[in-house]
Amino acid sequence: MSTQTLIESNEFFIGGEWVAPKGSGRIEVHSASTEELIGSVPDGTPEDIDAAVAAARSAMDDPQGWRSWSAEDRAAAMERLADAFDARSGEIARRISMQNGMPIAIAQQLEAVFPSLLLRYYAGLARATPLREERDGILGGKILVEKTPVGVVGAIVPWNFPQSLAAFKLAPLLAAGCTVVMKPSPETVLDSLELAEAIREAGIPDGVINIVPGGREVGAHLVEHPGVDKVAFTGSTAAGRSIAARCGELLRPVTLELGGKSAAIVLDDADFATAAENLFSATLLNNGQTCFLGTRVLAPRSRYDEVLQVFGGLADALQVGDALDPATQIGPMASARQRERVEGYIAKGKAEGARVVAGGNPSDQERGWFVQPTIFADVENSQTIAQEEIFGPVLSVIPYDSDEEALAIANDSEFGLGGSVWTTDQERGEAFARRVQTGSIGINHYLPDPAAPFGGVKASGLGRELGPEGLQAYLSTQSIYKTQGSAGAAP
Ligand code: NAD
């Protein structure tokens, strides 16, 4: 599908206006499906980040500014932003789909919907969450415990779900009264132009949200900027480690949502007949470019052949094609580099002796960064394809002999982000789920719910987003010991 006119911008959204960049570099974006140039924006520089942080800082420090608004006024502004986002959501989904290869049907179900859902959810929490509590002190007297916004946030997001993952940060930080400099990934910058317009339309005060796209150096500059009070990062574990190290030195609060290699654990009483769609979204959603997917499928040896048939059949039947085609279930990888990486893992899987049950060959699509959905059988959990995050449509099916062995395999991973248990016995599923070392896990499906805290253990991250817990991450606590006694005079 051709992409009509180029989407071009020459400015950044800083301080509520479109401002000229300090540098002259540009980020060019190509369609993942056709490889055609679809648009470009200025490439952010450290000086642009400086300007954006200054705008966020002055919005944060304004005594009459966003932080001083009543919860009701902030919530109403967030709901206006949700409405403005909704009005643009069709175009936002289209741009994301072109840029990162997300099938348009999935972009319309998730990227077009989740951000405004989160803005409305956190607007509700802003209204409902008390920020001041008076307590009786143990030593006598009264104490005020107050929650205040943590300050200017440096938010760095990846390209796989660029708007939802931005909203994981934006919605709670706005509810808390913070301001932000957001750095989108260079792969997905065109959708952020629409978000900026929605922010203007909604009347969010100038400087509360600032957006500067750029690469990792610009991200690193944002992380260590003296004007930033907290860092919220979603991306790879490698980048997360270096950001955590820098934040450690600076003693700067940081939330890290990182990589995963989750397990989809098929128990011996699983029923696949009713679960096909859920299996797909728990293991292959967004072309496998999703952090929480259960890419290690653990199958009981008693039903191993059947599980291979289910997954082999699923992969073979998937409609692979242009991401903008509404019938497409698997689109291309987001970039040529990503395709190369995934193909490298497929080659490695073969070299290490895993058996290909579906896919495994170069794609026959004429253009675009496509990879065949690939299912490997007879994988040992110690093999590279079972231990490293591939971030493509590649699953490893690993046999096990007992529930205890399945649990040991599930937990034998550097990561701990998502996962799923497949069983007809809900209680058995929950009991099993509790023993998996992971931040979240689903029974017979997997999709993060806005009301539930989401995040990882081990190398999958630090802290939680979503739920009421996600709001607390943007609040600081101050205790005020009230004057003791009625006179309140100093001795
Ligand atoms: P990436 O780490 O290369 O980049 C993510 C973002 O961080 C980009 O905006 C990039 O420019 C920036 N960045 C990279 N290095 C940086 C540094 N040292 N300092 C500051 N900024 C830096 O990751 P990616 O390839 O864009 O995204 C895919 C990864 O993200 C996968 O590992 C995936 O699992 C992870 N991810 C995690 C979650 C989650 O919620 N846990 C969600 C989606 C994606």
Side-chain angles (χ1 to χ4, degrees):
M1 283 183 197
S2 190
T3 51
Q4 320 129 17
T5 47
L6 293 182
I7 302 162
E8 300 280 2
S9 164
N10 297 315
E11 292 158 319
F12 294 127
F13 186 68
I14 295 176
E17 2 180 78
W18 290 103
V19 302
K22 311 277 189 213
S24 57
R26 295 198 62 87
I27 299 172
E28 291 194 335
V29 187
H30 294 257
S31 156
S33 298
T34 67
E35 303 179 35
E36 293 168 319
L37 183 68
I38 53 174
S40 72
V41 303
D43 193 3
T45 61
E47 292 72 31
D48 296 306
I49 292 287
D50 293 345
V53 173
R57 188 78 262 162
S58 94
M60 189 70 226
D61 295 342
D62 175 358
Q64 264 81 54
W66 182 244
R67 68 177 299 167
S68 76
W69 286 27
S70 69
E72 176 51 45
D73 288 349
R74 274 209 300 271
M78 291 169 67
E79 286 163 349
R80 289 197 303 275
L81 178 55
D83 291 343
F85 185 96
D86 283 344
R88 294 170 175 274
S89 63
E91 177 61 11
I92 288 174
R94 193 182 75 90
R95 290 187 184 190
I96 291 171
S97 192
M98 286 193 294
Q99 293 172 105
N100 72 3
M102 180 184 297
I104 187 73
I106 293 173
Q108 285 165 347
Q109 275 170 32
L110 298 180
E111 288 292 275
V113 174
F114 238 75
S116 50
L117 193 79
L118 287 177
L119 285 163
R120 294 194 179 97
Y121 171 67
Y122 278 101
L125 280 183
R127 289 190 180 99
T129 307
L131 297 178
R132 176 179 298 175
E133 182 195 328
E134 192 176 76
R135 294 184 195 165
D136 292 329
I138 303 283
L139 304 178
K142 299 276 186 196
I143 302 159
L144 280 181
V145 178
E146 300 206 345
K147 298 280 175 102
T148 53
V150 74
V152 173
V153 178
I156 298 175
V157 286
W159 45 261
N160 59 337
F161 288 88
Q163 286 300 321
S164 295
L165 293 172
F168 274 35
K169 300 163 179 41
L170 258 189
L173 76 84
L174 288 175
C178 296
T179 67
V180 63
V181 175
M182 171 104 66
K183 190 201 80 62
S185 217
E187 290 84 352
T188 43
V189 288
L190 305 179
D191 48 298
S192 67
L193 302 173
E194 289 287 308
L195 175 66
E197 286 300 341
I199 291 163
R200 263 159 63 108
E201 280 165 22
I204 302 292
D206 296 349
V208 169
I209 308 172
N210 310 274
I211 304 175
V212 178
R216 61 187 49 200
E217 299 74 24
V218 172
H221 186 72
L222 177 59
V223 165
E224 62 186 12
H225 200 290
V228 167
D229 300 303
K230 177 196 161 79
V231 173
F233 174 77
T234 302
S236 62
T237 294
R241 280 189 208 283
S242 90
I243 290 169
R246 192 67 191 112
C247 288
E249 281 170 49
L250 295 167
L251 293 177
R252 182 164 294 173
V254 59
T255 311
L256 301 168
E257 298 285 3
L258 309 177
K261 190 76 194 178
S262 302
I265 305 140
V266 178
L267 297 184
D268 55 12
D269 63 350
D271 174 13
F272 297 121
T274 54
E277 206 168 300
N278 287 352
L279 269 187
F280 170 77
S281 57
T283 59
L284 288 161
L285 181 76
N286 191 21
N287 320 330
Q289 299 179 139
T290 308
C291 54
F292 56 66
L293 294 177
T295 51
R296 293 181 298 146
V297 178
L298 312 192
R301 213 176 287 277
S302 59
R303 296 183 65 187
Y304 193 62
D305 290 342
E306 184 194 344
V307 173
L308 289 181
Q309 265 174 18
V310 167
F311 278 95
L314 175 68
D316 285 338
L318 288 171
Q319 178 122 359
V320 179
D322 190 311
L324 287 181
D325 183 338
T328 290
Q329 293 168 295
I330 294 280
M333 302 291 90
S335 62
R337 187 172 62 91
Q338 184 66 10
R339 176 181 60 183
E340 217 171 279
R341 210 177 106 90
V342 176
E343 285 182 342
Y345 277 113
I346 293 175
K348 185 96 180 163
K350 290 179 183 171
E352 288 187 352
R355 173 162 62 96
V356 174
V357 180
N361 296 311
S363 165
D364 50 14
Q365 302 280 333
E366 279 170 22
R367 52 187 190 163
W369 299 310
F370 289 90
V371 176
Q372 280 191 344
T374 297
I375 310 293
F376 279 111
D378 305 340
V379 180
E380 306 249 350
N381 194 51
S382 56
Q383 286 172 356
T384 309
I385 55 168
Q387 286 295 324
E388 295 186 12
E389 183 179 50
I390 297 176
F391 229 53
V394 181
L395 303 182
S396 297
V397 187
I398 304 172
Y400 70 82
D401 287 307
S402 65
D403 283 13
E404 288 307 307
E405 192 192 356
L407 184 70
I409 296 172
N411 289 338
D412 180 13
S413 170
E414 182 194 1
F415 299 107
L417 186 60
S420 50
V421 183
W422 302 81
T423 174
T424 43
D425 181 342
Q426 181 72 22
E427 259 179 51
R428 182 182 176 200
E430 286 174 27
F432 196 101
R434 279 190 195 98
R435 299 175 70 199
V436 181
Q437 294 161 0
T438 187
S440 59
I441 185 161
I443 317 283
N444 296 324
H445 78 120
Y446 185 94
L447 192 62
D449 188 291
F454 173 81
V457 299
K458 303 196 273 186
S460 289
L462 281 180
R464 292 291 179 267
E465 295 188 310
L466 302 185
E469 292 81 358
L471 176 60
Q472 295 302 323
Y474 294 98
L475 291 168
S476 240
T477 308
Q478 186 184 42
S479 296
I480 300 175
Y481 313 120
K482 293 180 80 168
T483 311
Q484 287 195 6
S486 53

